[in-house]
């Protein structure tokens, strides 16, 4: 089950109180709530659900959540970002990894964890401005496993 309640590929980095999540949500057109919403909108459930190929970045700090769509983002770019993170984590040295111009992760190893800071820049036209989130000390093994699961979901 997704920690943030979506289906589809997602890369969740952080804790329950501070996180960023790179997601491609998929809406199931057979779910009763989707069918009802589609009827109310006057479209088919499949039209309402959409193609399921729009990437988004979600973030939250102590219940103050936000998120935005990433028009033009593709699976290959998400996979490249995940691979970049895997290589950096395996090297065991402080690193910076970027996903486009909307997400930068700065990380440094501390024992068997990584202290991660996320810098998020919403696209032009989004109400919120840039934010910096301290994601905490994240277990190295868990990060690597999450990256592998994410890449597998994209394959």
């Amino acid at each position: 089950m997704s920690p943030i309640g979506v289906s589809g590929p997602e890369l969740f980095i952080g804790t329950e109180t501070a996180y960023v999540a790179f997601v491609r949500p998929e809406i199931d057109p057979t779910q009763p709530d989707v069918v009802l919403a589609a009827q109310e909108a006057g479209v088919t459930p499949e039209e309402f659900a959409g193609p399921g190929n729009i990437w988004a970045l979600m973030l939250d700090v102590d219940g103050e959540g936000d998120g935005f769509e990433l028009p033009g983002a593709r699976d290959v770019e998400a996979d490249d970002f995940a691979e970049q993170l895997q290589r950096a984590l395996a090297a065991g040295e402080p690193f910076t990894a970027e996903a486009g111009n909307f997400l930068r992760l700065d990380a440094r190893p501390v024992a068997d964890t990584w202290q991660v800071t996320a810098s998020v820049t919403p696209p032009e036209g989004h109400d919120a401005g840039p934010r910096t989130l301290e994601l905490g000390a994240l277990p190295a093994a868990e990060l690597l496993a999450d990256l592998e699961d994410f890449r597998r979901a994209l394959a």
Side-chain angles (χ1 to χ4, degrees), residues 58-104:
M58 300 171 69
L59 57 128
D60 191 281
V61 176
D62 296 326
E64 299 285 325
D66 196 6
F68 48 88
E69 287 186 1
L70 302 167
R74 300 171 306 159
D75 288 4
V76 68
E77 294 156 337
D79 188 53
D80 288 347
F81 178 64
E83 183 180 22
Q84 180 186 160
L85 287 174
Q86 282 179 314
R87 284 192 316 264
L89 289 168
E93 300 290 327
F95 68 88
T96 297
E98 295 182 349
N101 59 359
F102 56 88
L103 176 63
R104 186 182 79 232

Side-chain angles (χ1 to χ4, degrees), residues 101-116:
N101 59 359
F102 56 88
L103 176 63
R104 186 182 79 232
L105 298 179
D106 295 300
R108 61 184 171 77
V110 179
D112 61 348
T113 66
W114 285 86
Q115 188 68 38
V116 180

Side-chain angles (χ1 to χ4, degrees), residues 13-153:
I13 302 171
T15 65
E16 290 182 18
T17 58
Y19 67 81
V20 294
F22 194 33
V23 301
R24 182 171 44 92
E26 294 176 1
I27 300 172
D28 181 355
T30 64
Q31 293 297 312
D33 290 342
V34 174
V35 172
L36 180 61
Q39 288 172 344
E40 290 174 2
V43 297
T44 67
E46 292 75 21
E47 288 175 297
F48 187 82
N53 63 355
I54 303 295
W55 283 95
L57 185 73
M58 300 171 69
L59 57 128
D60 191 281
V61 176
D62 296 326
E64 299 285 325
D66 196 6
F68 48 88
E69 287 186 1
L70 302 167
R74 300 171 306 159
D75 288 4
V76 68
E77 294 156 337
D79 188 53
D80 288 347
F81 178 64
E83 183 180 22
Q84 180 186 160
L85 287 174
Q86 282 179 314
R87 284 192 316 264
L89 289 168
E93 300 290 327
F95 68 88
T96 297
E98 295 182 349
N101 59 359
F102 56 88
L103 176 63
R104 186 182 79 232
L105 298 179
D106 295 300
R108 61 184 171 77
V110 179
D112 61 348
T113 66
W114 285 86
Q115 188 68 38
V116 180
T117 301
S119 299
V120 177
T121 304
E124 192 172 310
H126 189 73
D127 294 339
R131 294 187 61 183
T132 300
L133 295 80
E134 295 298 331
L135 303 181
L138 308 176
E142 193 173 304
L143 281 172
L144 286 168
D146 289 347
L147 286 163
E148 187 61 36
D149 289 346
F150 178 70
R151 294 189 72 203
R152 194 174 303 115

